Amino acid sequence: MFEKTGIPSKEMIMEKFPSIDRINKGPVAVVECYKEIPCNPCQTACKFDAIKVGEDINNIPALNSDNCTGCAICLSKCPGLAIMVVDGSKSETTVQIKIPYEFLPLPNAGDIVKGLDREGKYIADVKVINVLNPKSFDRTPIITLEADREFLYDIRNIKVVS
Amino acid sequence: MKDAELLIIGGGPAGLCAAISAAESGARVCIVERNKSLGGQLVKQTHMFFGSEKQYASTRGIDITNILLNKLNSYNNVEILTETSVVGMFEDGVVSVVHKEDNYYKIKPKAVIVATGAYEKSLAFPNNDLPGIYGAGAVQTLMNVHGVKPGERVLMVGAGNIGLIVSYQLMQAGVEVVAILDAAPKIGGYLVHASKIRRMGVPILTSHTVKEAVGKNYLEKAIISEIDNKFQPIEGTEKEFDVDVMCISVGLTPLNEMLAMRGCQMKYVSQLSGFVPVRNENYETTVENVFAAGDATGVEEASAAMVEGYLAGICAAAKIGYRPDNFDERKNDYVKQLDDLRSGPVGKHILAGIEQIVV
Ligand SMILES: Cc1cc2nc3c(=O)[nH]c(=O)nc-3n(C[C@H](O)[C@H](O)[C@H](O)COP(=O)(O)OP(=O)(O)OC[C@H]3O[C@@H](n4cnc5c(N)ncnc54)[C@H](O)[C@@H]3O)c2cc1C
Ligand code: SF4
Ligand code: SF4
């Protein structure tokens, strides 16, 4: 189905998520790159040796979640915008999610925006914690969101309503 | 008659890289480009590219142009002729060009590299000539080069990389994309691109085609229908979309009539998307000192086009007497980069095509 619709199945998504124990320890990347393509900037960008594509640049990137610091540098370097960072260490009821977001208007810290899933469907309102858009991100801003824990595996996009 | 050592036709990524590597080898290079500025397809690619560091992966296409132009500017043996189209290549090696509208003249180079890129295929359906129906390239040029919104509501036809990327860029420009459809049963483009658009809420309808366009003076409506596995419309599955733009993105085909005119042996290779020149591993065609690189030798990607350009550039320069000491080392590096880019599932398909034309 994924190849017909562009929507990964729940199983595919779960396979890419680090364990909940790891997520509860602190920020960590989720690399949703499911198919072999000639691409490896995620590996090049990571200073912590946490993403490996390997000798053949067509390999699917593999995350070593022990090495990953959740620094989010790879998010704005991935041409597929396929990486996000999740963090379950901040609260027992919520999680923080960092996503790349290349649309205007950008939200502001403190805003409540609509949290969307991988199909673009509305899931729940989420709070914008911060918006980073330095020159080094090269026009791919990174938005940190706070969402209810139950939506950890669902929220992947936002809609900013002005 | 103007004389030149190495003439490069087309200033896209392949032509620019060919010029850089030939100039580095010491050849006197002349680039002829029909547009006002250099860069080819790159000048409208506002998204980040795939590939690896050597092909500027994760840099935006628009910025790759400047990286290449800066490199080129460091050589003083490069001449650039813009707004100049090549209109003929003849048996005696003469190339005729026209500058702007009416200034025709001839160039007699020692060697030529044809890097003219590709052109968009069209799609036949009733009323496909209504205003509002564009090729994806035109939409991208309007939007990203000239800053003009092509319309308000778009139906994208084609879910290859170009259809997916242009859809994403339309949304970035504030245009609504109602759906992306494709006749194939699977999405042709990279799935990371597809997911990026899907999570914006845009449906991707595989196994669908355009039945007809409706409108009086301009496009007002598109009617689409599902198709079966023999690509025949299934009755009763029609859907209508109120749109003012339909964007056709059903693939590219190599633009290289100039090579055929010159007498190079050409061959139809479906994996390379059309007629392409038979060539050797140095990208030299069956006519001596006539080289080709980039999409003109088979539709692929800018990453491969750049490396092919570097390779053709260094080989053409060597052929006319500028063989650098590190020739083998550089050549092997380019060959390895191409092998790496083509080692995956998409590349396998390309390699199966290349096998048919390399002698
Ligand atoms: C929407 C879109 C998105 C893309 N995204 C990517 C991507 O993410 N990654 C990637 O690697 N690739 C991408 N590509 C593909 C990439 O742009 C092409 O593969 C690449 O530009 C091919 O380079 P080229 O130099 O062979 O041809 P071109 O870039 O097409 O350049 C050919 C040049 O030749 C000139 N020319 C043609 N005929 C003549 C003539 N008779 N006289 C003088 N000049 C002439 C043209 O004006 C043009 O400037 C994308 C393409 C499109 C359309
Ligand atoms: S988040 Fe930082 S540490 Fe983790 S994979 Fe990305 S770049 Fe590496
Ligand atoms: S940079 Fe992104 S698209 Fe490229 S291999 Fe890494 S995760 Fe996949």
Side-chain angles (χ1 to χ4, degrees), chain A residues 83-149:
Chain A
I83 313 178
M84 64 173 183
V85 162
V86 293
D87 180 2
S89 69
K90 297 274 199 292
S91 133
E92 293 204 338
T93 55
T94 62
V95 282
Q96 287 200 358
I97 300 174
K98 282 185 173 34
I99 55 163
Y101 185 76
E102 294 183 324
F103 292 87
L104 292 173
L106 282 176
N108 295 303
D111 286 359
I112 301 294
V113 296
K114 299 204 173 304
L116 311 181
D117 68 5
R118 289 168 180 76
E119 215 176 312
K121 274 207 323 258
Y122 170 73
I123 296 292
D125 283 354
V126 293
K127 187 174 173 193
V128 176
I129 302 295
N130 91 34
V131 177
L132 289 179
N133 190 15
K135 207 157 183 240
S136 61
F137 285 7
D138 189 22
R139 293 154 285 178
T140 303
I142 305 295
I143 317 267
T144 307
L145 305 166
E146 185 182 59
D148 261 8
R149 230 166 221 275

Side-chain angles (χ1 to χ4, degrees), chain B residues 245-289:
Chain B
V245 175
M246 218 195 289
C247 189
I248 311 296
S249 172
V250 292
L252 303 170
T253 196
L255 176 65
N256 52 26
E257 294 89 339
M258 229 46 90
L259 291 168
M261 181 179 186
R262 180 68 177 83
C264 303
Q265 190 189 333
M266 308 293 284
K267 196 168 169 183
Y268 184 86
V269 181
S270 64
Q271 291 95 333
L272 301 176
S273 305
F275 278 95
V276 289
V278 171
R279 59 169 177 83
N280 66 19
E281 57 157 39
N282 295 339
Y283 287 78
E284 187 173 13
T285 67
T286 51
V287 173
E288 195 176 8
N289 292 342

Side-chain angles (χ1 to χ4, degrees), chain A residues 29 45-48 50-51 63 67-75 83 85:
Chain A
C46 182
K47 303 274 174 294
F48 303 96
I51 298 192
L63 178 81
N67 286 5
C68 176
T69 64
C71 71
I73 293 299
C74 54
L75 269 62
I83 313 178
V85 162

Side-chain angles (χ1 to χ4, degrees), chain A residues 138-139, chain B residues 42-49 56 58-70:
Chain A
D138 189 22
R139 293 154 285 178
Chain B
L42 292 179
V43 301
K44 50 193 185 186
Q45 311 305 347
T46 52
H47 60 285
M48 295 183 268
F49 275 32
Y56 315 108
S58 111
T59 305
R60 294 174 194 279
I62 40 175
D63 298 325
I64 296 178
T65 313
N66 289 331
I67 295 176
L68 297 179
L69 289 179
N70 283 341

Side-chain angles (χ1 to χ4, degrees), chain A residues 2-8 32-33 35-41 44 55-58 76-82 102-103 116-120 137-140 156-157, chain B residues 48-53 57-60 62-63 168 171-172 185-187 190-196 198-201 204 206-207 301 336 340-346:
Chain A
F2 178 48
E3 293 185 321
K4 276 183 166 294
T5 61
I7 312 166
E32 284 187 81
C33 189
K35 287 276 146 152
E36 293 171 297
I37 52 175
C39 186
N40 72 0
T44 315
E55 182 65 16
D56 182 346
I57 66 166
N58 285 279
S76 61
K77 289 287 177 195
C78 165
L81 304 185
E102 294 183 324
F103 292 87
L116 311 181
D117 68 5
R118 289 168 180 76
E119 215 176 312
F137 285 7
D138 189 22
R139 293 154 285 178
T140 303
R156 184 57 179 83
N157 192 17
Chain B
M48 295 183 268
F49 275 32
F50 295 96
S52 73
E53 218 171 357
S58 111
T59 305
R60 294 174 194 279
I62 40 175
D63 298 325
Y168 183 75
M171 287 186 274
Q172 286 182 307
K186 283 183 186 172
I187 295 167
Y190 292 158
L191 290 162
V192 282
H193 277 324
S195 298
K196 201 151 94 176
R198 189 53 258 216
R199 62 178 178 255
M200 298 295 295
I204 301 176
T206 43
S207 302
E301 297 226 288
K336 168 141 196 331
D340 287 350
L341 286 171
R342 291 171 180 153
S343 67
V346 187

Side-chain angles (χ1 to χ4, degrees), chain B residues 294-307:
Chain B
D295 279 358
T297 65
V299 173
E300 211 175 335
E301 297 226 288
S303 39
M306 287 188 273
V307 185

